[in-house]
Amino acid sequence: MSAVTIAESSLLGVVGSSLRVPLVTGREQRYVNLDYAASAPALSVVAEHVTELLPLYASVHRGAGYASQVSTSVYENARAIVGEFVNARENDVVVFTRNTTDALGLLASAVPGETVLLDIEHHANLLPWQRGASRIVLSGDTVAETLERLDAELASRPAALVTVTGASNVTGETLPLRAIATIAHRRGARLAVDGAQLVPHRRVDLQRDGIDYLAFSGHKIYAPFGAGVLVGRKDWLDVAPPLLQGGGAVAEVTLHGATWHPAPARHEAGSPNVVGVAALARAVSEIGRLDAEKWAAHDRALRHRLITGLEALPGVHPHRIFSDSTDAVGVVSFSIDGTDARLVAAFLSAEHGIGVRDGRFCAHPLLAKLGIDGPALRASFGVGSTDADVDALLGALTLFLANGPVWRYELVDGQWVPLDDARPRPDWAPALDTTAVRFGCAA
């Protein structure tokens, strides 16, 4: 099947694929979700699985009741499902967390030595290492040069861990993980991978690629129910300080101390997110059945269609890190000359029912490195996306460049908002003062 037609239909069904949203003009439009990189929609089968599980939901571990026993089985079996999905080693451990950020924070507390990372990381794989002993390698203009710099840094002084992004959340470009693993292992270091953007787009194999630790989030792999995971070698995690201190993580407690379980229980104190873990396991089971080549081809076809279309528009510039990168996932960031990205995002949403991301994408140092002054735009897609979604974005951008917005907008505390916005909302989701809730990495 050609790249022209391979993305005419979605690969898997997702919740919300037929959603229609109101526009400020009074019309209604099919919602075009091009914000998968932030949080992907739930797979339809995941939502069905959660609905089936909820009547049997109960607290896991030590419960004698039937529902508790079923929930415990679902929770613990999920470890095997996730481990198989990433081809974990026999002695690897699967620790359930809240998300990738949580998982990398846990790993940062467990590393018995220095960590080396690149300057292109998402904040989740940058900030945890600033608290300990770490060194940053400045990436080069090419992947090849970057690997040379990484090798030279490790040769200059040993490190316990190298940690890198699997795929950039800004440009979608992937790194050659097997080559990086070879460099790290030759220099006596382990390799950790922030898989938040890679795992939803490519098959990741810990054994094939030489990955020692992998972190990823359920909400980015079509299971937006609040669970994440850290998979990897057990020894460091067995002796690391517990991620949380509480019930479930302890073997014995006195008034003045505690004896802690080894991993994974050591880092899963409190009542765990059974529903989130069940959703994550069901999502990776479904994703794991996809043909790897068809999956990647669908992703590449959409990306090619989008970048080709963007480059044909006057003053529109897609961003990239490396001149020699050969693979990238469904994440594309771009800027428009002389245009505030925040206004474009508001226009796309209010007048065309298209959801994209605007801001600095929790990767401030990378955007500064790319010379992006201020916020940019990001379109991202996945297994529920089609050519029609990409074409809708390109068509709306064409109209914006030719005529500007039809509606009037005002800038309120850093956010463009449509004036006299009368779009109806569900009564259980009333409009908020957006100036009070817009925070984080957007600015």
Side-chain angles (χ1 to χ4, degrees), residues 103-112 128-129 131 236-237 239-243 267:
L104 291 170
L106 165 59
L107 181 60
S109 72
V111 179
W129 312 106
R131 298 195 300 263
W236 288 0
L237 296 171
V239 297
L243 179 63
H267 303 293

Side-chain angles (χ1 to χ4, degrees), residues 80-155:
I81 294 170
V82 171
E84 181 179 0
F85 175 65
V86 298
N87 196 22
R89 293 160 290 263
E90 183 178 353
N91 293 325
D92 283 344
V93 64
V94 174
V95 180
F96 291 119
T97 63
R98 291 175 296 177
N99 45 43
T100 307
T101 302
D102 204 27
L104 291 170
L106 165 59
L107 181 60
S109 72
V111 179
E114 288 192 322
T115 298
V116 170
L117 61 150
L118 299 176
D119 62 341
I120 63 173
E121 302 300 324
H122 183 279
H123 294 169
N125 200 31
L126 172 63
L127 295 175
W129 312 106
Q130 292 180 351
R131 298 195 300 263
S134 62
R135 291 131 56 192
I136 295 176
V137 173
L138 301 181
S139 57
D141 293 331
T142 66
V143 173
E145 181 185 1
T146 302
L147 297 191
E148 291 174 359
R149 292 182 179 186
L150 179 61
D151 190 32
E153 178 63 33
L154 293 171

Side-chain angles (χ1 to χ4, degrees), residues 247-259:
V250 289
E252 188 66 35
V253 177
T254 70
L255 291 178
H256 303 288
T259 303

Side-chain angles (χ1 to χ4, degrees), residues 100 104 125 164-167 177 192-202 204 213-217 220-221:
T100 307
L104 291 170
N125 200 31
V164 298
T165 183
L177 297 179
V193 174
D194 172 358
Q197 299 299 336
L198 182 64
V199 173
H201 294 274
R202 297 287 187 274
V204 178
Y213 297 96
L214 175 68
F216 62 96
S217 294
K220 295 187 190 295
I221 194 167

Side-chain angles (χ1 to χ4, degrees), residues 279-304:
L280 174 57
R282 187 66 183 85
V284 300
S285 294
E286 190 72 8
I287 292 292
R289 283 193 284 269
L290 285 175
D291 178 84
E293 290 303 319
K294 183 179 179 181
W295 184 21
H298 176 268
D299 201 58
R300 292 186 181 114
L302 288 169
R303 182 181 174 90
H304 175 77

